[in-house]
Amino acid sequence: MKYLFLIFFMNFLPPCAGKSLSRDGNYSKTFEDIKKEIGGYSNIAKAIIDLAVHGEAQNRSYERLAVFADTIGPRLSGSKNLDAAIKYMFSALQEDRLENVHLEPVKVPHWERGEEFAMMLEPRNHSIAILGLGNSVATPPEGITAEVIVVASFDELHRRAQEAKGKVVVYNQPFITYGETVQYRSQGAVEAAKVGAVASLIRSIASFSIHSPHTGWQNYQPGVPQIPTACISVEDAEMMSRMSLRGTKIVVYLKMGAKTYPDSSSLNTVAEIVGSKYPEQIVLVSGHLDSWDVGQGAMDDGGGAFISWEALSLVKDLGLRPKRTLRLVLWTGEEQGGVGAEQYYQLHKENISNFDIVMESDEGTFKPMGLGFTGTDEARDIVKEIMTLLLPINVTNIYDTAEGIDIDYWMRDGVPGASLHDDISKYFWFHHSHGDTMTVQDPNQMNLCAAVWTVVSYVIADMEEMLPRCRICRNFQ
């Protein structure tokens, strides 16, 4: 009786968030059916891999990126360089004969670092390499001269709060993971200001350093004084820590000319291959076009943006047209918290049920290891099966979660998400630093990343049914 009631109840369940596996709301295929369907893409997957890794498209994403990065350079939100980058990509996507190439207006923060200079005055003269943090205020025009207090954690700062008043707080926190350690960059100025400091200098959030400061965004808090803040190199932070532990008095001079302007107009850049059967349904591949104002933004996130473009190019070059629309979005304003992606989400969320999966590559394009995935167990099983098509290049792993601030908005609402999972052992060596240049990029690794990105996005776009989003899935075994 209970079993009969369950069947009756399930037949009257409201639709799950987004589309169900099939267009008519019925789970018409078992998992064995789906495995057979995916297996049927073996030859197409091999053709994609061959074209990207060995064929005429070999090194294309790298070469395209090199021309772009060398021509445009860094692309900070609100800058003329970012405007030039968007104009460049709009023309390039049109020249590539992609469909529905267009720009969608958004507003982005506009901050400029201006002149920056730091010098240790005591116990000796030493030039300190700095990079002001995004959204930082400037020093007074004459700069700041103050004694230093060095701390290794927020807890230590709070214990020594009385010592910090009127001083420059230098954080020498150890790098644990980016996610755990980045709080010092984002909150360091606020916590220092709370105890009366006049500025903060933060050890760069980097796992390795060759005297290289790394920038990034930081946030002030309402009601807390805004003090100038910058990152310094690991080497200088450790040196000042050693000096402090020996009881040496340290005095520094800091001058920063940062300015914050009203939000600027910018654009998300979009191109498509329109679906042949269900054109209203979307498989979205993406990377962000903006970068910091140092280096070339080649790794963060030129590589991710250009393998996403390459995915559409490879599909087009092979004469393929998936059932669903394959949409490329090059986000703007990611480095300031995904502001361009949030505005895109607000504009398009009314059609959220038509978004099959959202994919973002924003952790480098080094040697690919697999795919990060966020979604239901049923959807994960399908994507895991799709990854078997990449056995020829030995990239078949699937990891627990997808990463990417630009796709978080969709994943929170139940849309499956995926991110490229590659070898990031050296990623934070170059992240947000002058070292983020084309020298970091490897054409062979980018070829492999492009193959992974294309196979996964194309197969999902071409399968007869969308990825499931709810955990009650009839006939799904």
Side-chain angles (χ1 to χ4, degrees):
M1 183 68 182
K2 290 181 180 179
Y3 180 72
L4 291 174
F5 174 77
L6 180 61
I7 294 175
F8 177 83
F9 172 76
M10 290 177 71
N11 281 329
F12 286 92
L13 280 175
C16 300
K19 298 273 184 172
S20 54
L21 258 175
S22 63
R23 285 173 58 79
D24 62 6
N26 294 315
Y27 291 89
S28 57
K29 291 188 176 183
T30 67
F31 186 57
E32 287 303 314
D33 292 331
I34 293 171
K35 284 178 67 174
K36 291 178 182 177
E37 182 183 10
I38 293 169
Y41 287 99
S42 177
N43 288 337
I44 290 176
K46 288 176 182 177
I48 291 170
I49 292 168
D50 185 64
L51 180 59
V53 178
H54 310 292
E56 291 183 1
Q58 183 185 45
N59 300 344
R60 182 170 61 188
S61 59
Y62 173 89
E63 291 165 358
R64 283 173 166 176
L65 177 59
V67 173
F68 172 79
D70 293 342
T71 301
I72 305 296
R75 308 167 297 280
L76 185 62
S77 172
S79 69
K80 291 182 180 179
N81 274 23
L82 179 58
D83 292 344
I86 293 168
K87 183 178 179 180
Y88 179 102
M89 289 306 304
F90 179 74
S91 295
L93 296 172
Q94 288 182 316
E95 290 172 8
D96 197 29
R97 301 188 307 280
L98 298 178
E99 299 166 326
N100 294 338
V101 178
H102 65 279
L103 303 171
E104 299 189 8
V106 297
K107 289 287 188 178
V108 296
H110 182 186
W111 173 88
E112 295 179 5
R113 71 177 59 257
E115 177 190 7
E116 296 181 331
F117 178 78
M119 175 71 73
M120 178 191 290
L121 304 178
E122 296 183 34
R124 64 180 175 88
N125 284 349
H126 168 69
S127 179
I128 301 171
I130 67 168
L131 279 177
L133 293 176
N135 199 37
S136 176
V137 296
T139 62
E142 68 275 13
I144 293 172
T145 300
E147 189 175 344
V148 161
I149 176 174
V150 183
V151 299
S153 67
F154 289 140
D155 287 343
E156 182 181 356
L157 175 66
H158 298 151
R159 289 196 307 269
R160 301 174 63 190
Q162 293 301 316
E163 300 176 54
K165 188 173 181 179
K167 294 181 180 177
V168 172
V169 171
V170 171
Y171 291 94
N172 183 40
Q173 77 287 342
F175 182 89
I176 302 172
T177 64
Y178 181 77
E180 185 171 348
T181 312
V182 75
Q183 63 179 318
Y184 288 91
R185 189 189 78 200
S186 61
Q187 302 171 33
V190 167
E191 295 305 313
K194 286 178 181 177
V195 295
V198 295
S200 63
L201 297 175
I202 299 158
R203 170 175 164 160
S204 289
I205 314 304
S207 54
F208 177 78
S209 175
I210 305 179
H211 203 245
S212 53
H214 298 233
T215 188
W217 196 250
Q218 65 88 36
N219 298 292
Y220 292 121
Q221 282 183 13
V224 178
Q226 296 183 359
I227 61 174
T229 182
C231 269
I232 60 176
S233 69
V234 171
E235 292 87 342
D236 281 343
E238 290 186 342
M239 179 182 69
M240 285 190 275
S241 178
R242 292 191 302 271
M243 289 177 170
S244 179
L245 290 171
R246 290 194 291 263
T248 302
K249 180 181 178 180
I250 306 169
V251 176
V252 300
Y253 171 75
L254 176 66
K255 186 173 183 180
M256 296 172 59
K259 292 182 180 180
T260 297
Y261 298 92
D263 286 355
S264 294
S265 297
S266 191
L267 301 149
N268 289 319
T269 308
V270 184
E272 295 180 337
I273 293 177
V274 177
S276 62
K277 189 173 182 181
Y278 312 126
E280 74 283 1
Q281 297 177 4
I282 306 299
V283 167
L284 186 150
V285 292
S286 67
H288 66 86
L289 205 57
D290 66 302
S291 73
W292 279 101
D293 56 342
V294 290
Q296 293 181 303
M299 180 191 76
D300 183 17
D301 180 34
F306 274 64
I307 67 162
S308 295
W309 173 15
E310 185 69 8
L312 272 66
S313 290
L314 291 167
V315 169
K316 174 182 65 65
D317 290 349
L318 288 168
L320 301 171
R321 185 171 291 277
K323 295 182 180 71
R324 291 175 193 83
T325 294
L326 190 56
R327 178 179 294 171
L328 165 69
V329 182
L330 302 177
W331 311 109
T332 192
E334 188 276 346
E335 296 292 1
Q336 290 70 35
V339 294
E342 181 179 11
Q343 291 169 72
Y344 179 91
Y345 165 78
Q346 294 297 338
L347 183 64
H348 295 277
K349 66 180 181 180
E350 65 183 49
N351 296 317
I352 194 168
S353 62
N354 280 327
F355 282 77
D356 193 354
I357 188 170
V358 288
M359 300 170 60
E360 179 176 13
S361 173
D362 188 21
E363 289 192 339
T365 44
F366 299 105
K367 182 180 178 181
M369 302 169 67
L371 205 69
F373 181 78
T374 295
T376 64
D377 291 342
E378 297 83 5
R380 175 177 295 273
D381 287 341
I382 293 171
V383 175
K384 187 175 182 179
E385 195 65 28
I386 292 170
M387 294 302 291
T388 65
L389 298 171
L390 291 159
L391 186 60
I393 55 173
N394 196 31
V395 186
T396 58
N397 293 328
I398 187 165
Y399 297 87
D400 285 343
T401 55
E403 302 287 344
I405 190 171
D406 294 317
I407 60 174
D408 274 349
Y409 306 99
W410 302 93
M411 294 191 295
R412 290 174 196 161
D413 279 354
V415 178
S419 59
L420 182 69
H421 192 101
D422 60 336
D423 177 8
I424 62 168
S425 58
K426 296 182 180 179
Y427 182 78
F428 293 109
W429 295 16
F430 309 104
H431 183 248
H432 293 183
S433 78
H434 286 288
D436 182 358
T437 69
M438 281 305 300
T439 302
V440 175
Q441 299 297 117
D442 181 293
N444 296 319
Q445 292 175 351
M446 285 192 70
N447 294 338
L448 293 170
C449 291
V452 173
W453 217 226
T454 309
V455 168
V456 173
S457 60
Y458 173 78
V459 172
I460 293 175
D462 196 59
M463 291 178 66
E464 184 60 33
E465 297 174 338
M466 295 178 73
L467 294 175
R469 300 190 193 182
C470 62
R471 295 192 178 277
I472 302 175
C473 297
R474 287 168 280 180
N475 297 328
F476 194 95
Q477 300 173 359

